[in-house]
């Protein structure tokens, strides 16, 4: 599904040049559940941004769905991204002025779905995420766990091939964190590829593979004999 070859990302200011990623090589197949771990500042979120086509690398190659995308323009990246990738963030990134229904509906507006199809899909997804009873509430009226349910619903509403989750349990207590991991596991079992950044060894155990980053490098990769659910 995706492959990187000597992927690099540099950040340059007038005074200093920082290497966030240095010669990262990885390959992830359709339908895998992969966890990315490492200390703060090691490049985990930078890697996720590149894999999610939110940014371009400074060097190397990135192949996504048989396209070499490392030098794509923002418009090209956006077109590929909106049809294939869903994002789940630690901070939820919901729009406070929109209701739960409207937040989840938003990706379908960009994809120009009809009003009837949008309503049908949103209702089905809210039911799936067990948050339908809150469809007319605003994000500030929800608990952290409920907000993350809405964020996951928004991420999956257009049936993306890939879900990228950046510390999706980071702002949640253990009970709500477990709920989010259960949702990601269920999505994976239905065939969605999931790549998750996490600091939690316990939550990394939900994945089939664990990739460890350190100082912008892949230092170890564990392929588990058993997939724990």
């Amino acid at each position: 599904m995706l492959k990187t070859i000597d992927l690099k990302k540099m950040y340059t200011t007038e005074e200093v040049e920082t290497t966030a990623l240095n010669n990262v090589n990885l390959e992830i197949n359709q339908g895998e559940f992969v966890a990315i771990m490492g200390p703060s500042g090691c490049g985990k979120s930078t890697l996720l941004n590149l894999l999610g086509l939110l940014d371009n690398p400074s060097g190397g190659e990135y192949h996504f769905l048989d396209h070499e995308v490392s030098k794509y323009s923002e418009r090209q990246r956006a077109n590929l991204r909106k049809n294939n990738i869903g994002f789940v963030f630690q901070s939820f990134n919901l729009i406070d002025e929109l209701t739960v229904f409207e937040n989840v509906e938003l990706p379908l507006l960009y994809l120009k779905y009809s009003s009837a199809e949008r309503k049908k899909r949103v209702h089905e997804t809210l039911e799936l995420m067990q948050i339908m009873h809150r469809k007319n509430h605003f994000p500030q009226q929800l608990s952290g766990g409920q907000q993350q349910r809405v964020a996951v619903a928004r991420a999956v509403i257009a049936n993306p091939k890939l879900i990228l989750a950046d510390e999706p349990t980071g702002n949640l207590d253990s009970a709500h964190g477990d709920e989010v991991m259960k949702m990601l596991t269920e999505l994976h079992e239905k065939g969605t590829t999931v790549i998750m950044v996490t600091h939690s060894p316990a939550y990394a155990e939900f994945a089939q593979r664990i990739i460890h980053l350190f100082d912008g490098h892949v230092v170890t990769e564990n392929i588990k004999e058993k997939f724990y659910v």
Side-chain angles (χ1 to χ4, degrees), residues 76-204:
Q76 289 173 306
R77 293 200 312 271
N79 285 335
L80 197 54
R81 188 170 62 232
K82 72 182 181 181
N83 289 298
N84 296 289
I85 304 174
F87 296 89
V88 181
F89 301 97
Q90 177 178 348
S91 56
F92 315 136
N93 283 11
L94 300 176
I95 299 173
D96 290 340
E97 294 77 19
L98 300 182
T99 64
V100 165
F101 183 100
E102 291 166 339
N103 267 282
V104 175
E105 180 188 34
L106 203 55
L108 302 183
L109 288 169
Y110 292 133
L111 292 169
K112 296 181 169 51
Y113 280 75
S114 69
S115 176
E117 180 65 14
R118 293 199 307 270
K119 182 176 180 180
K120 177 176 178 289
R121 281 190 176 234
V122 172
H123 281 186
E124 289 174 349
T125 306
L126 292 178
E127 290 283 5
L128 179 68
M129 296 299 158
Q130 299 177 9
I131 198 72
M132 184 67 175
H133 61 296
R134 298 286 193 180
K135 72 173 184 175
N136 294 321
H137 287 69
F138 292 92
Q140 307 96 310
Q141 298 173 300
L142 307 178
S143 69
Q146 289 171 333
Q147 288 187 60
Q148 196 60 298
R149 282 182 177 273
V150 177
V152 174
R154 183 185 58 190
V156 304
I157 187 71
N159 295 323
K161 297 179 177 68
L162 173 65
I163 293 289
L164 297 176
D166 193 357
E167 293 284 359
T169 62
N171 284 335
L172 303 176
D173 59 34
S174 59
H176 288 127
D178 290 346
E179 287 182 12
V180 170
M181 291 310 304
K182 181 181 177 183
M183 285 188 284
L184 291 177
T185 299
E186 289 172 351
L187 290 168
H188 165 247
E189 290 173 344
K190 292 177 181 178
T192 305
T193 306
V194 179
I195 303 175
M196 174 184 68
V197 163
T198 183
H199 278 104
S200 167
Y203 289 147

Side-chain angles (χ1 to χ4, degrees), residues 35-95:
I36 299 174
M37 301 191 72
S40 296
C42 72
K44 301 186 302 295
S45 293
T46 298
L47 178 58
L48 215 64
N49 284 342
L50 294 181
L51 298 182
L53 303 171
L54 295 173
D55 198 1
N56 275 341
S58 304
E61 299 179 14
Y62 177 31
H63 299 261
F64 179 68
L65 297 178
D66 298 323
H67 298 271
E68 208 293 293
V69 300
S70 62
K71 294 179 174 61
Y72 268 25
S73 67
E74 168 53 29
R75 179 179 295 238
Q76 289 173 306
R77 293 200 312 271
N79 285 335
L80 197 54
R81 188 170 62 232
K82 72 182 181 181
N83 289 298
N84 296 289
I85 304 174
F87 296 89
V88 181
F89 301 97
Q90 177 178 348
S91 56
F92 315 136
N93 283 11
L94 300 176
I95 299 173

